[in-house]
């Protein structure tokens, strides 16, 4: 079960604008013996590279693998406390783009803690790029090349599973239905990216990021499927919450009650598990139409 603070963190990470970034370090970190990882995908990559022994801290969104929970939590990635980070004496920080706030990063820079910022994009290629950047920072380029090649192959295979699908599903990703207001994913979002990789169409194309949709816009979008994060906590958007919205209820998805739920970090993390997430989402959308 995802606890309440983590649900809130997931919602905020998706909706908040990215912070300005400090100067990025290129090449291997001079001393990567005590690393703080900021961003769930970064932590997953470090584990998959077999370099988790370097980790002395991770952020709140780093919930996979289970062993990550044993590593001290330095706080939410967009609300880092310099004091909390420095208290564990890191020799370096590897952070996904958007970590902050800038003031905290400035303090950490003055403390001479090297930073590596990893770009956050929502394509198959971006996953490999993350792996290569993290591997280079840790000085394990060979491991990174092998993992990157493996992930690329898995993603190609996952995308190929929907190549014979004739009618593409129209999907509405709902971030929140609080107060009866539907906040949905537009373009340039992790939700938009994963929907496309799974061979479906995001019904929202008129804006970027996550915004509240009007009832008219929802009705016009006519989604076949509603996609939501399944956090398991009290703030999780339930089926009843969604279907209580008259516009959602009137769409093809609402009328057929077609609602797909997947774990937030798994679905939207764009880390080493992305190919599996693509497969699972495609299977949920298309069933037996997905080629194995």
């Amino acid at each position: 079960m995802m606890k309440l603070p983590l649900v809130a963190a997931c919602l905020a990470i998706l909706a908040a604008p990215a912070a300005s970034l400090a100067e990025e370090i290129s090449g291997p970190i001079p001393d990567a013996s005590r690393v703080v990882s900021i961003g769930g995908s970064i932590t997953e990559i470090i584990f998959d590279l077999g370099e988790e022994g370097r980790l002395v801290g991770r952020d709140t969104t780093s919930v996979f693998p289970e062993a990550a929970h044993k590593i001290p939590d330095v706080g939410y990635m967009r609300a880092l406390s310099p004091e909390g980070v420095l208290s564990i004496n890191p020799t370096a920080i590897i952070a996904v783009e958007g970590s902050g706030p800038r003031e905290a990063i400035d303090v950490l820079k003055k403390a001479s803690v090297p930073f590596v910022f990893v770009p956050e994009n929502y394509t198959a290629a971006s996953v490999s790029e993350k792996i290569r950047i993290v591997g280079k920072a840790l000085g394990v380029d060979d491991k990174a090349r092998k993992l990157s090649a493996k992930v690329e192959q898995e993603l190609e295979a996952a995308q190929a599973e929907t190549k014979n699908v004739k009618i593409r599903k129209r999907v509405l990703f709902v971030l929140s239905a609080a107060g009866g207001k539907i906040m949905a994913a537009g373009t340039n979002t992790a939700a938009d990216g994963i929907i496309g990789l799974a061979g479906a169409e995001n019904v929202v194309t008129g804006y970027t990021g996550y915004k509240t949709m009007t009832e008219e816009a929802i009705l016009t979008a006519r989604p076949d499927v509603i996609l939501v994060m399944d956090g398991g906590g009290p703030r999780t958007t339930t089926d009843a919450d969604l279907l209580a919205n008259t516009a959602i209820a009137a769409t093809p998805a609402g009328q057929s009650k077609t609602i797909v739920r997947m774990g937030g970090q798994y679905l939207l993390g764009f880390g080493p598990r992305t190919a599996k997430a693509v497969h699972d989402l495609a299977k949920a959308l298309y069933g037996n139409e997905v080629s194995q």
Side-chain angles (χ1 to χ4, degrees), residues 188-234:
N188 193 31
T189 59
D192 181 70
I194 202 74
I195 289 168
L197 290 176
E201 298 176 2
N202 181 7
V203 297
V204 180
T205 59
Y207 61 78
T208 61
Y210 296 83
K211 297 180 182 179
T212 300
M213 290 184 75
T214 65
E215 290 193 355
E216 181 181 2
I218 293 169
L219 288 167
T220 301
R222 292 183 57 78
D224 303 306
V225 178
I226 305 297
L227 177 62
V228 293
M229 293 190 299
D230 192 6

Side-chain angles (χ1 to χ4, degrees), residues 49-103:
L49 288 172
E51 298 297 321
E52 66 273 15
R54 303 171 185 263
L55 289 173
V56 295
R58 50 94 190 179
D59 77 304
T60 303
T61 70
S62 297
V63 296
F64 185 88
E66 185 64 29
H69 292 268
K70 298 177 182 179
I71 300 168
D73 185 344
V74 299
Y76 172 51
M77 61 170 288
R78 293 191 192 273
L80 297 174
S81 163
E83 294 79 8
V85 175
L86 292 173
S87 68
I88 55 178
N89 299 313
T91 59
I93 298 170
I94 303 178
V96 73
E97 181 181 354
S99 302
R102 182 173 59 187
E103 293 78 10

Side-chain angles (χ1 to χ4, degrees), residues 83-259:
E83 294 79 8
V85 175
L86 292 173
S87 68
I88 55 178
N89 299 313
T91 59
I93 298 170
I94 303 178
V96 73
E97 181 181 354
S99 302
R102 182 173 59 187
E103 293 78 10
I105 291 174
D106 288 343
V107 171
L108 291 168
K109 284 177 65 182
K110 290 176 182 177
S112 300
V113 179
F115 263 79
V116 173
F117 280 103
V118 182
E120 181 72 289
N121 297 301
Y122 308 115
T123 65
S126 70
V127 180
S128 297
E129 182 184 22
K130 282 182 178 180
I131 293 169
R132 289 192 295 269
I133 291 172
V134 173
K136 185 176 183 180
L138 296 177
V140 290
D141 296 84
D142 287 344
K143 284 185 176 182
R145 277 193 289 270
K146 291 177 182 177
L147 179 59
S148 177
K150 174 177 176 287
V151 168
E152 286 176 1
Q153 186 177 35
E154 290 172 346
L155 276 165
E156 287 177 5
Q159 291 177 84
E161 291 177 347
T162 57
K163 64 182 179 181
N164 295 323
V165 172
K166 293 181 173 58
I167 301 176
R168 302 290 168 175
K169 296 289 187 180
R170 291 173 53 76
V171 180
L172 175 66
F173 178 87
V174 176
L175 178 64
S176 169
K181 302 293 185 181
I182 301 297
M183 180 174 285
T187 60
N188 193 31
T189 59
D192 181 70
I194 202 74
I195 289 168
L197 290 176
E201 298 176 2
N202 181 7
V203 297
V204 180
T205 59
Y207 61 78
T208 61
Y210 296 83
K211 297 180 182 179
T212 300
M213 290 184 75
T214 65
E215 290 193 355
E216 181 181 2
I218 293 169
L219 288 167
T220 301
R222 292 183 57 78
D224 303 306
V225 178
I226 305 297
L227 177 62
V228 293
M229 293 190 299
D230 192 6
R235 289 191 181 181
T236 297
T237 299
T238 66
D239 289 3
D241 293 333
L242 293 166
L243 297 174
N245 182 285
T246 55
I248 290 284
T251 65
Q255 291 174 348
S256 63
K257 296 182 173 56
T258 305
I259 299 170

